[in-house]
Amino acid sequence: MTNYYRLDLSKNYIFYQYDITFEPELPEDSRGVIKGCVNSVDSELANKLKFYIHRGKIIYGLLKLDGLQTFKCNYIHKKGTDNEKKYDYLLNLNLTK
């Protein structure tokens, strides 16, 4: 069984699939950090891909981008009300072939 997502669109669109990797590398179970990083570069991704859908370590976009696309992102980890720590990452987007 696989994940199945139905999209009802008024036009026929082609979505391109991109793998997401990070520098420094993140463990697979870092969902909160991954989501926070993707959210921190949301407008940049939307500008590059026109429209995108994010799921885990995969992004689907309307535009085909050749080569490795790199974005500087950050994640702010909040622990309690006064303790906050910022982490910087490079988010790499690579077209799945």
Side-chain angles (χ1 to χ4, degrees), residues 15-16 18 20 35 37-55 58-63 93:
F15 281 87
Y16 297 94
Y18 298 89
I20 302 172
K35 185 176 180 182
C37 283
V38 171
N39 287 344
S40 77
V41 294
D42 175 69
S43 61
E44 293 174 69
L45 288 170
N47 286 336
K48 286 267 191 178
L49 297 169
K50 192 169 185 176
F51 173 81
Y52 76 93
I53 299 167
H54 167 237
R55 197 72 181 144
I58 295 175
I59 285 183
Y60 301 94
L62 284 180
L63 299 180
L93 210 59

Side-chain angles (χ1 to χ4, degrees), residues 9 11-17 51 60-64:
L9 303 171
K11 296 181 182 180
N12 290 330
Y13 289 102
I14 295 173
F15 281 87
Y16 297 94
Q17 181 176 324
F51 173 81
Y60 301 94
L62 284 180
L63 299 180
K64 183 178 181 181

Side-chain angles (χ1 to χ4, degrees), residues 41-93:
V41 294
D42 175 69
S43 61
E44 293 174 69
L45 288 170
N47 286 336
K48 286 267 191 178
L49 297 169
K50 192 169 185 176
F51 173 81
Y52 76 93
I53 299 167
H54 167 237
R55 197 72 181 144
K57 285 192 169 183
I58 295 175
I59 285 183
Y60 301 94
L62 284 180
L63 299 180
K64 183 178 181 181
L65 305 175
D66 292 321
L68 185 67
Q69 305 291 315
T70 301
F71 302 86
K72 291 182 182 179
C73 64
N74 58 62
Y75 173 73
I76 298 172
H77 179 75
K78 295 181 181 180
K79 195 172 189 179
T81 55
D82 298 328
N83 194 357
E84 186 176 284
K85 192 167 183 182
K86 181 181 172 187
Y87 298 92
D88 295 317
Y89 295 95
L90 291 179
L91 183 155
N92 299 309
L93 210 59

Side-chain angles (χ1 to χ4, degrees), residues 18-29:
Y18 298 89
D19 291 326
I20 302 172
T21 57
F22 291 92
E23 295 174 35
E25 191 173 334
L26 291 173
E28 287 293 324
D29 62 349

